[in-house]
mmCIF file of all heavy atoms in Angstrom:
data_model
loop_
_atom_site.group_PDB
_atom_site.id
_atom_site.type_symbol
_atom_site.label_atom_id
_atom_site.label_comp_id
_atom_site.label_asym_id
_atom_site.label_seq_id
_atom_site.Cartn_x
_atom_site.Cartn_y
_atom_site.Cartn_z
ATOM 1 N N TRP A 1 0.822 -1.232 -0.012
ATOM 2 C CA TRP A 1 0.000 -0.009 0.007
ATOM 3 C C TRP A 1 0.816 1.276 -0.035
ATOM 4 O O TRP A 1 0.425 2.301 -0.563
ATOM 5 C CB TRP A 1 -0.971 -0.033 1.170
ATOM 6 C CG TRP A 1 -2.155 -0.890 0.878
ATOM 7 C CD1 TRP A 1 -2.381 -2.188 1.238
ATOM 8 C CD2 TRP A 1 -3.267 -0.509 0.079
ATOM 9 N NE1 TRP A 1 -3.495 -2.682 0.764
ATOM 10 C CE2 TRP A 1 -4.155 -1.641 0.029
ATOM 11 C CE3 TRP A 1 -3.672 0.640 -0.612
ATOM 12 C CZ2 TRP A 1 -5.335 -1.693 -0.677
ATOM 13 C CZ3 TRP A 1 -4.912 0.620 -1.300
ATOM 14 C CH2 TRP A 1 -5.672 -0.499 -1.323
ATOM 15 N N GLU A 2 2.036 1.179 0.602
ATOM 16 C CA GLU A 2 2.937 2.315 0.599
ATOM 17 C C GLU A 2 3.410 2.595 -0.850
ATOM 18 O O GLU A 2 3.612 3.731 -1.295
ATOM 19 C CB GLU A 2 4.099 2.079 1.502
ATOM 20 C CG GLU A 2 3.731 2.238 2.984
ATOM 21 C CD GLU A 2 4.891 1.830 3.861
ATOM 22 O OE1 GLU A 2 5.988 1.574 3.341
ATOM 23 O OE2 GLU A 2 4.701 1.828 5.102
ATOM 24 N N LYS A 3 3.594 1.537 -1.611
ATOM 25 C CA LYS A 3 4.018 1.661 -3.014
ATOM 26 C C LYS A 3 2.857 2.255 -3.893
ATOM 27 O O LYS A 3 3.113 3.012 -4.795
ATOM 28 C CB LYS A 3 4.381 0.272 -3.617
ATOM 29 C CG LYS A 3 5.738 -0.238 -3.188
ATOM 30 C CD LYS A 3 6.035 -1.532 -3.883
ATOM 31 C CE LYS A 3 7.400 -2.097 -3.508
ATOM 32 N NZ LYS A 3 7.692 -3.356 -4.243
ATOM 33 N N LEU A 4 1.667 1.857 -3.517
ATOM 34 C CA LEU A 4 0.498 2.273 -4.313
ATOM 35 C C LEU A 4 0.057 3.673 -4.093
ATOM 36 O O LEU A 4 -0.277 4.391 -5.034
ATOM 37 C CB LEU A 4 -0.681 1.305 -4.088
ATOM 38 C CG LEU A 4 -0.481 -0.196 -4.547
ATOM 39 C CD1 LEU A 4 -1.660 -1.007 -4.069
ATOM 40 C CD2 LEU A 4 -0.304 -0.238 -6.040
ATOM 41 N N ILE A 5 -0.021 4.039 -2.781
ATOM 42 C CA ILE A 5 -0.559 5.387 -2.411
ATOM 43 C C ILE A 5 0.472 6.086 -1.522
ATOM 44 O O ILE A 5 0.737 5.660 -0.412
ATOM 45 C CB ILE A 5 -1.899 5.265 -1.692
ATOM 46 C CG1 ILE A 5 -2.861 4.396 -2.467
ATOM 47 C CG2 ILE A 5 -2.464 6.656 -1.365
ATOM 48 C CD1 ILE A 5 -3.302 5.004 -3.798
ATOM 49 N N SER A 6 1.039 7.176 -1.992
ATOM 50 C CA SER A 6 2.071 7.868 -1.174
ATOM 51 C C SER A 6 1.504 8.726 -0.064
ATOM 52 O O SER A 6 2.124 8.854 0.983
ATOM 53 C CB SER A 6 2.931 8.777 -2.135
ATOM 54 O OG SER A 6 2.120 9.686 -2.751
ATOM 55 N N HIS A 7 0.286 9.249 -0.238
ATOM 56 C CA HIS A 7 -0.328 10.091 0.748
ATOM 57 C C HIS A 7 -0.903 9.238 1.847
ATOM 58 O O HIS A 7 -1.751 8.404 1.647
ATOM 59 C CB HIS A 7 -1.452 10.946 0.085
ATOM 60 C CG HIS A 7 -1.936 12.044 0.992
ATOM 61 N ND1 HIS A 7 -2.906 11.859 1.976
ATOM 62 C CD2 HIS A 7 -1.700 13.350 1.032
ATOM 63 C CE1 HIS A 7 -3.206 12.925 2.599
ATOM 64 N NE2 HIS A 7 -2.450 13.919 2.044
ATOM 65 N N GLU A 8 -0.393 9.484 3.097
ATOM 66 C CA GLU A 8 -0.712 8.567 4.187
ATOM 67 C C GLU A 8 -2.237 8.522 4.532
ATOM 68 O O GLU A 8 -2.800 7.435 4.709
ATOM 69 C CB GLU A 8 0.079 8.985 5.435
ATOM 70 C CG GLU A 8 -0.137 8.041 6.601
ATOM 71 C CD GLU A 8 0.736 8.397 7.777
ATOM 72 O OE1 GLU A 8 1.537 9.339 7.703
ATOM 73 O OE2 GLU A 8 0.599 7.687 8.842
ATOM 74 N N LYS A 9 -2.862 9.711 4.608
ATOM 75 C CA LYS A 9 -4.255 9.748 5.036
ATOM 76 C C LYS A 9 -5.128 9.102 3.960
ATOM 77 O O LYS A 9 -6.035 8.282 4.256
ATOM 78 C CB LYS A 9 -4.711 11.163 5.226
ATOM 79 C CG LYS A 9 -6.157 11.301 5.739
ATOM 80 C CD LYS A 9 -6.495 12.742 6.048
ATOM 81 C CE LYS A 9 -7.912 12.827 6.579
ATOM 82 N NZ LYS A 9 -8.292 14.212 6.888
ATOM 83 N N LYS A 10 -4.838 9.350 2.696
ATOM 84 C CA LYS A 10 -5.599 8.779 1.566
ATOM 85 C C LYS A 10 -5.359 7.276 1.536
ATOM 86 O O LYS A 10 -6.295 6.504 1.332
ATOM 87 C CB LYS A 10 -5.121 9.438 0.278
ATOM 88 C CG LYS A 10 -5.974 8.939 -0.951
ATOM 89 C CD LYS A 10 -5.531 9.726 -2.181
ATOM 90 C CE LYS A 10 -6.434 9.384 -3.402
ATOM 91 N NZ LYS A 10 -5.992 10.150 -4.572
ATOM 92 N N ARG A 11 -4.110 6.857 1.818
ATOM 93 C CA ARG A 11 -3.819 5.395 1.821
ATOM 94 C C ARG A 11 -4.571 4.693 2.889
ATOM 95 O O ARG A 11 -5.118 3.640 2.659
ATOM 96 C CB ARG A 11 -2.281 5.204 2.064
ATOM 97 C CG ARG A 11 -1.854 3.770 2.095
ATOM 98 C CD ARG A 11 -0.367 3.622 2.071
ATOM 99 N NE ARG A 11 0.277 4.130 3.297
ATOM 100 C CZ ARG A 11 1.141 5.175 3.351
ATOM 101 N NH1 ARG A 11 1.455 5.804 2.251
ATOM 102 N NH2 ARG A 11 1.647 5.555 4.509
ATOM 103 N N THR A 12 -4.666 5.285 4.066
ATOM 104 C CA THR A 12 -5.400 4.671 5.215
ATOM 105 C C THR A 12 -6.859 4.456 4.877
ATOM 106 O O THR A 12 -7.419 3.405 5.160
ATOM 107 C CB THR A 12 -5.225 5.509 6.460
ATOM 108 O OG1 THR A 12 -3.874 5.640 6.784
ATOM 109 C CG2 THR A 12 -5.968 4.886 7.661
ATOM 110 N N LEU A 13 -7.480 5.457 4.286
ATOM 111 C CA LEU A 13 -8.894 5.383 3.919
ATOM 112 C C LEU A 13 -9.150 4.349 2.830
ATOM 113 O O LEU A 13 -10.077 3.559 2.934
ATOM 114 C CB LEU A 13 -9.389 6.791 3.443
ATOM 115 C CG LEU A 13 -9.482 7.847 4.478
ATOM 116 C CD1 LEU A 13 -9.808 9.205 3.848
ATOM 117 C CD2 LEU A 13 -10.497 7.530 5.552
ATOM 118 N N LEU A 14 -8.305 4.371 1.826
ATOM 119 C CA LEU A 14 -8.479 3.372 0.728
ATOM 120 C C LEU A 14 -8.214 1.948 1.178
ATOM 121 O O LEU A 14 -8.924 1.038 0.792
ATOM 122 C CB LEU A 14 -7.518 3.703 -0.469
ATOM 123 C CG LEU A 14 -7.930 4.962 -1.276
ATOM 124 C CD1 LEU A 14 -6.776 5.345 -2.208
ATOM 125 C CD2 LEU A 14 -9.198 4.660 -2.086
ATOM 126 N N LYS A 15 -7.233 1.813 1.983
ATOM 127 C CA LYS A 15 -6.905 0.455 2.507
ATOM 128 C C LYS A 15 -8.026 -0.106 3.363
ATOM 129 O O LYS A 15 -8.396 -1.297 3.276
ATOM 130 C CB LYS A 15 -5.620 0.491 3.309
ATOM 131 C CG LYS A 15 -5.121 -0.867 3.803
ATOM 132 C CD LYS A 15 -3.827 -0.699 4.576
ATOM 133 C CE LYS A 15 -3.369 -2.096 5.099
ATOM 134 N NZ LYS A 15 -2.127 -1.955 5.859
ATOM 135 N N LYS A 16 -8.647 0.745 4.196
ATOM 136 C CA LYS A 16 -9.740 0.364 5.013
ATOM 137 C C LYS A 16 -10.948 -0.064 4.200
ATOM 138 O O LYS A 16 -11.565 -1.140 4.423
ATOM 139 C CB LYS A 16 -10.171 1.500 5.961
ATOM 140 C CG LYS A 16 -11.246 1.080 6.973
ATOM 141 C CD LYS A 16 -11.544 2.234 7.906
ATOM 142 C CE LYS A 16 -12.605 1.863 8.912
ATOM 143 N NZ LYS A 16 -12.888 2.956 9.870
ATOM 144 N N ALA A 17 -11.273 0.701 3.163
ATOM 145 C CA ALA A 17 -12.418 0.403 2.270
ATOM 146 C C ALA A 17 -12.132 -0.833 1.434
ATOM 147 O O ALA A 17 -13.037 -1.486 0.994
ATOM 148 C CB ALA A 17 -12.709 1.555 1.352
ATOM 149 N N TYR A 18 -10.868 -1.106 1.227
ATOM 150 C CA TYR A 18 -10.482 -2.283 0.390
ATOM 151 C C TYR A 18 -10.873 -3.612 1.009
ATOM 152 O O TYR A 18 -11.113 -4.589 0.312
ATOM 153 C CB TYR A 18 -8.961 -2.228 0.112
ATOM 154 C CG TYR A 18 -8.502 -3.324 -0.833
ATOM 155 C CD1 TYR A 18 -8.864 -3.387 -2.151
ATOM 156 C CD2 TYR A 18 -7.631 -4.316 -0.385
ATOM 157 C CE1 TYR A 18 -8.394 -4.372 -3.022
ATOM 158 C CE2 TYR A 18 -7.140 -5.352 -1.207
ATOM 159 C CZ TYR A 18 -7.533 -5.330 -2.548
ATOM 160 O OH TYR A 18 -7.042 -6.342 -3.368
ATOM 161 N N GLN A 19 -10.960 -3.610 2.335
ATOM 162 C CA GLN A 19 -11.347 -4.816 3.038
ATOM 163 C C GLN A 19 -12.741 -5.278 2.583
ATOM 164 O O GLN A 19 -13.018 -6.502 2.376
ATOM 165 C CB GLN A 19 -11.337 -4.608 4.558
ATOM 166 C CG GLN A 19 -9.950 -4.262 5.084
ATOM 167 C CD GLN A 19 -8.891 -5.299 4.709
ATOM 168 O OE1 GLN A 19 -9.094 -6.494 4.900
ATOM 169 N NE2 GLN A 19 -7.748 -4.820 4.225
ATOM 170 N N ALA A 20 -13.659 -4.337 2.485
ATOM 171 C CA ALA A 20 -15.033 -4.645 2.029
ATOM 172 C C ALA A 20 -14.977 -5.133 0.612
ATOM 173 O O ALA A 20 -15.709 -6.048 0.183
ATOM 174 C CB ALA A 20 -15.959 -3.468 2.239
ATOM 175 N N TYR A 21 -14.125 -4.506 -0.213
ATOM 176 C CA TYR A 21 -13.988 -4.895 -1.662
ATOM 177 C C TYR A 21 -13.535 -6.321 -1.809
ATOM 178 O O TYR A 21 -13.998 -7.062 -2.693
ATOM 179 C CB TYR A 21 -13.036 -3.861 -2.328
ATOM 180 C CG TYR A 21 -12.958 -4.048 -3.810
ATOM 181 C CD1 TYR A 21 -13.914 -3.410 -4.655
ATOM 182 C CD2 TYR A 21 -11.949 -4.799 -4.370
ATOM 183 C CE1 TYR A 21 -13.843 -3.552 -6.041
ATOM 184 C CE2 TYR A 21 -11.895 -4.937 -5.801
ATOM 185 C CZ TYR A 21 -12.814 -4.341 -6.578
ATOM 186 O OH TYR A 21 -12.721 -4.480 -7.973
ATOM 187 N N THR A 22 -12.581 -6.719 -0.953
ATOM 188 C CA THR A 22 -12.087 -8.089 -1.049
ATOM 189 C C THR A 22 -13.126 -9.102 -0.647
ATOM 190 O O THR A 22 -13.126 -10.215 -1.143
ATOM 191 C CB THR A 22 -10.840 -8.284 -0.167
ATOM 192 O OG1 THR A 22 -11.120 -8.022 1.209
ATOM 193 C CG2 THR A 22 -9.681 -7.360 -0.596
ATOM 194 N N GLU A 23 -14.043 -8.695 0.229
ATOM 195 C CA GLU A 23 -15.121 -9.619 0.611
ATOM 196 C C GLU A 23 -16.086 -9.788 -0.576
ATOM 197 O O GLU A 23 -16.684 -10.872 -0.712
ATOM 198 C CB GLU A 23 -15.821 -9.085 1.877
ATOM 199 C CG GLU A 23 -14.982 -9.164 3.136
ATOM 200 C CD GLU A 23 -15.670 -8.528 4.310
ATOM 201 O OE1 GLU A 23 -16.822 -8.175 4.210
ATOM 202 O OE2 GLU A 23 -14.949 -8.398 5.375
ATOM 203 N N GLU A 24 -16.266 -8.735 -1.316
ATOM 204 C CA GLU A 24 -17.136 -8.755 -2.471
ATOM 205 C C GLU A 24 -16.442 -9.504 -3.666
ATOM 206 O O GLU A 24 -17.125 -10.056 -4.542
ATOM 207 C CB GLU A 24 -17.500 -7.368 -2.930
ATOM 208 C CG GLU A 24 -18.328 -6.583 -1.890
ATOM 209 C CD GLU A 24 -18.445 -5.082 -2.224
ATOM 210 O OE1 GLU A 24 -17.952 -4.738 -3.315
ATOM 211 O OE2 GLU A 24 -19.003 -4.346 -1.454
ATOM 212 N N HIS A 25 -15.105 -9.510 -3.634
ATOM 213 C CA HIS A 25 -14.322 -10.154 -4.688
ATOM 214 C C HIS A 25 -13.299 -11.089 -4.019
ATOM 215 O O HIS A 25 -12.126 -10.841 -4.021
ATOM 216 C CB HIS A 25 -13.640 -9.132 -5.525
ATOM 217 C CG HIS A 25 -14.502 -8.125 -6.182
ATOM 218 N ND1 HIS A 25 -14.955 -7.001 -5.492
ATOM 219 C CD2 HIS A 25 -15.020 -8.025 -7.431
ATOM 220 C CE1 HIS A 25 -15.728 -6.307 -6.289
ATOM 221 N NE2 HIS A 25 -15.796 -6.907 -7.460
ATOM 222 N N PRO A 26 -13.783 -12.197 -3.415
ATOM 223 C CA PRO A 26 -12.931 -13.102 -2.634
ATOM 224 C C PRO A 26 -11.888 -13.844 -3.519
ATOM 225 O O PRO A 26 -12.084 -14.004 -4.718
ATOM 226 C CB PRO A 26 -13.910 -14.099 -2.027
ATOM 227 C CG PRO A 26 -15.094 -14.076 -2.994
ATOM 228 C CD PRO A 26 -15.225 -12.705 -3.495
ATOM 229 N N THR A 27 -10.860 -14.254 -2.869
ATOM 230 C CA THR A 27 -9.809 -14.990 -3.569
ATOM 231 C C THR A 27 -10.288 -16.379 -3.931
ATOM 232 O O THR A 27 -10.797 -17.133 -3.087
ATOM 233 C CB THR A 27 -8.558 -15.188 -2.598
ATOM 234 O OG1 THR A 27 -8.196 -13.853 -2.120
ATOM 235 C CG2 THR A 27 -7.399 -15.836 -3.388
ATOM 236 N N PRO A 28 -10.206 -16.754 -5.202
ATOM 237 C CA PRO A 28 -10.706 -18.106 -5.622
ATOM 238 C C PRO A 28 -9.622 -19.137 -5.337
ATOM 239 O O PRO A 28 -8.920 -19.609 -6.236
ATOM 240 C CB PRO A 28 -10.861 -17.897 -7.125
ATOM 241 C CG PRO A 28 -9.919 -16.871 -7.553
ATOM 242 C CD PRO A 28 -9.759 -15.955 -6.358
ATOM 243 N N TRP A 29 -9.510 -19.537 -4.092
ATOM 244 C CA TRP A 29 -8.425 -20.403 -3.623
ATOM 245 C C TRP A 29 -8.308 -21.703 -4.430
ATOM 246 O O TRP A 29 -7.215 -22.147 -4.784
ATOM 247 C CB TRP A 29 -8.558 -20.726 -2.187
ATOM 248 C CG TRP A 29 -8.348 -19.523 -1.298
ATOM 249 C CD1 TRP A 29 -9.292 -18.932 -0.508
ATOM 250 C CD2 TRP A 29 -7.160 -18.799 -1.102
ATOM 251 N NE1 TRP A 29 -8.716 -17.846 0.167
ATOM 252 C CE2 TRP A 29 -7.413 -17.737 -0.174
ATOM 253 C CE3 TRP A 29 -5.877 -18.884 -1.643
ATOM 254 C CZ2 TRP A 29 -6.452 -16.833 0.252
ATOM 255 C CZ3 TRP A 29 -4.893 -18.002 -1.175
ATOM 256 C CH2 TRP A 29 -5.197 -17.005 -0.286
ATOM 257 N N LYS A 30 -9.431 -22.349 -4.661
ATOM 258 C CA LYS A 30 -9.380 -23.637 -5.375
ATOM 259 C C LYS A 30 -8.844 -23.511 -6.783
ATOM 260 O O LYS A 30 -8.148 -24.399 -7.304
ATOM 261 C CB LYS A 30 -10.769 -24.312 -5.342
ATOM 262 C CG LYS A 30 -11.220 -24.719 -3.971
ATOM 263 C CD LYS A 30 -12.530 -25.530 -3.997
ATOM 264 C CE LYS A 30 -13.008 -25.844 -2.597
ATOM 265 N NZ LYS A 30 -12.026 -26.661 -1.848
ATOM 266 N N LYS A 31 -9.178 -22.390 -7.406
ATOM 267 C CA LYS A 31 -8.675 -22.147 -8.788
ATOM 268 C C LYS A 31 -7.194 -21.830 -8.796
ATOM 269 O O LYS A 31 -6.473 -22.202 -9.729
ATOM 270 C CB LYS A 31 -9.476 -21.003 -9.396
ATOM 271 C CG LYS A 31 -9.079 -20.617 -10.825
ATOM 272 C CD LYS A 31 -9.890 -19.496 -11.338
ATOM 273 C CE LYS A 31 -9.468 -19.059 -12.727
ATOM 274 N NZ LYS A 31 -10.229 -17.915 -13.267
ATOM 275 N N LEU A 32 -6.680 -21.148 -7.743
ATOM 276 C CA LEU A 32 -5.338 -20.691 -7.725
ATOM 277 C C LEU A 32 -4.385 -21.664 -6.988
ATOM 278 O O LEU A 32 -3.172 -21.482 -7.026
ATOM 279 C CB LEU A 32 -5.285 -19.318 -7.028
ATOM 280 C CG LEU A 32 -6.108 -18.208 -7.724
ATOM 281 C CD1 LEU A 32 -6.000 -16.885 -6.879
ATOM 282 C CD2 LEU A 32 -5.642 -17.933 -9.155
ATOM 283 N N LEU A 33 -4.951 -22.694 -6.396
ATOM 284 C CA LEU A 33 -4.098 -23.670 -5.698
ATOM 285 C C LEU A 33 -3.060 -24.272 -6.559
ATOM 286 O O LEU A 33 -3.375 -24.724 -7.686
ATOM 287 C CB LEU A 33 -4.999 -24.766 -5.104
ATOM 288 C CG LEU A 33 -4.322 -25.984 -4.427
ATOM 289 C CD1 LEU A 33 -3.638 -25.554 -3.139
ATOM 290 C CD2 LEU A 33 -5.334 -27.082 -4.215
ATOM 291 N N ASN A 34 -1.855 -24.386 -6.088
ATOM 292 C CA ASN A 34 -0.816 -25.133 -6.770
ATOM 293 C C ASN A 34 -1.255 -26.584 -6.718
ATOM 294 O O ASN A 34 -1.324 -27.172 -5.624
ATOM 295 C CB ASN A 34 0.560 -24.919 -6.085
ATOM 296 C CG ASN A 34 1.690 -25.636 -6.799
ATOM 297 O OD1 ASN A 34 1.466 -26.720 -7.435
ATOM 298 N ND2 ASN A 34 2.886 -25.116 -6.631
ATOM 299 N N PRO A 35 -1.458 -27.253 -7.846
ATOM 300 C CA PRO A 35 -1.973 -28.659 -7.789
ATOM 301 C C PRO A 35 -1.033 -29.644 -7.179
ATOM 302 O O PRO A 35 -1.435 -30.739 -6.807
ATOM 303 C CB PRO A 35 -2.201 -28.966 -9.323
ATOM 304 C CG PRO A 35 -1.288 -28.037 -10.051
ATOM 305 C CD PRO A 35 -1.275 -26.755 -9.252
ATOM 306 N N ASP A 36 0.223 -29.271 -6.956
ATOM 307 C CA ASP A 36 1.178 -30.178 -6.331
ATOM 308 C C ASP A 36 1.108 -30.167 -4.776
ATOM 309 O O ASP A 36 1.769 -30.974 -4.168
ATOM 310 C CB ASP A 36 2.596 -29.805 -6.769
ATOM 311 C CG ASP A 36 2.903 -30.109 -8.213
ATOM 312 O OD1 ASP A 36 2.141 -30.958 -8.737
ATOM 313 O OD2 ASP A 36 3.823 -29.547 -8.797
ATOM 314 N N VAL A 37 0.345 -29.259 -4.242
ATOM 315 C CA VAL A 37 0.299 -29.091 -2.787
ATOM 316 C C VAL A 37 -0.163 -30.356 -2.056
ATOM 317 O O VAL A 37 0.544 -30.837 -1.177
ATOM 318 C CB VAL A 37 -0.556 -27.930 -2.376
ATOM 319 C CG1 VAL A 37 -0.860 -27.883 -0.872
ATOM 320 C CG2 VAL A 37 0.129 -26.584 -2.712
ATOM 321 N N PRO A 38 -1.305 -30.944 -2.383
ATOM 322 C CA PRO A 38 -1.729 -32.151 -1.629
ATOM 323 C C PRO A 38 -0.722 -33.281 -1.599
ATOM 324 O O PRO A 38 -0.442 -33.863 -0.571
ATOM 325 C CB PRO A 38 -3.039 -32.530 -2.322
ATOM 326 C CG PRO A 38 -3.491 -31.275 -2.966
ATOM 327 C CD PRO A 38 -2.280 -30.555 -3.423
#
Protein backbone atom coordinates (compact mmCIF):
# COMPACT_ATOMS: atom_id res chain seq x y z
CA TRP A 1 0.00 0.00 0.00
CA GLU A 2 2.93 2.34 0.55
CA LYS A 3 4.00 1.67 -3.03
CA LEU A 4 0.50 2.25 -4.34
CA ILE A 5 -0.53 5.38 -2.42
CA SER A 6 2.08 7.87 -1.19
CA HIS A 7 -0.33 10.12 0.74
CA GLU A 8 -0.73 8.57 4.20
CA LYS A 9 -4.27 9.73 5.01
CA LYS A 10 -5.58 8.77 1.58
CA ARG A 11 -3.79 5.42 1.82
CA THR A 12 -5.39 4.68 5.20
CA LEU A 13 -8.90 5.40 3.91
CA LEU A 14 -8.48 3.41 0.72
CA LYS A 15 -6.90 0.46 2.50
CA LYS A 16 -9.76 0.34 5.02
CA ALA A 17 -12.40 0.39 2.28
CA TYR A 18 -10.48 -2.28 0.36
CA GLN A 19 -11.35 -4.84 3.04
CA ALA A 20 -15.01 -4.68 2.04
CA TYR A 21 -14.01 -4.87 -1.63
CA THR A 22 -12.05 -8.09 -1.04
CA GLU A 23 -15.10 -9.62 0.62
CA GLU A 24 -17.13 -8.78 -2.49
CA HIS A 25 -14.33 -10.17 -4.69
CA PRO A 26 -12.94 -13.11 -2.65
CA THR A 27 -9.78 -15.00 -3.55
CA PRO A 28 -10.68 -18.10 -5.64
CA TRP A 29 -8.42 -20.41 -3.66
CA LYS A 30 -9.38 -23.65 -5.36
CA LYS A 31 -8.69 -22.16 -8.78
CA LEU A 32 -5.34 -20.69 -7.72
CA LEU A 33 -4.12 -23.66 -5.68
CA ASN A 34 -0.81 -25.13 -6.79
CA PRO A 35 -1.97 -28.64 -7.82
CA ASP A 36 1.19 -30.19 -6.34
CA VAL A 37 0.30 -29.10 -2.80
CA PRO A 38 -1.75 -32.14 -1.62
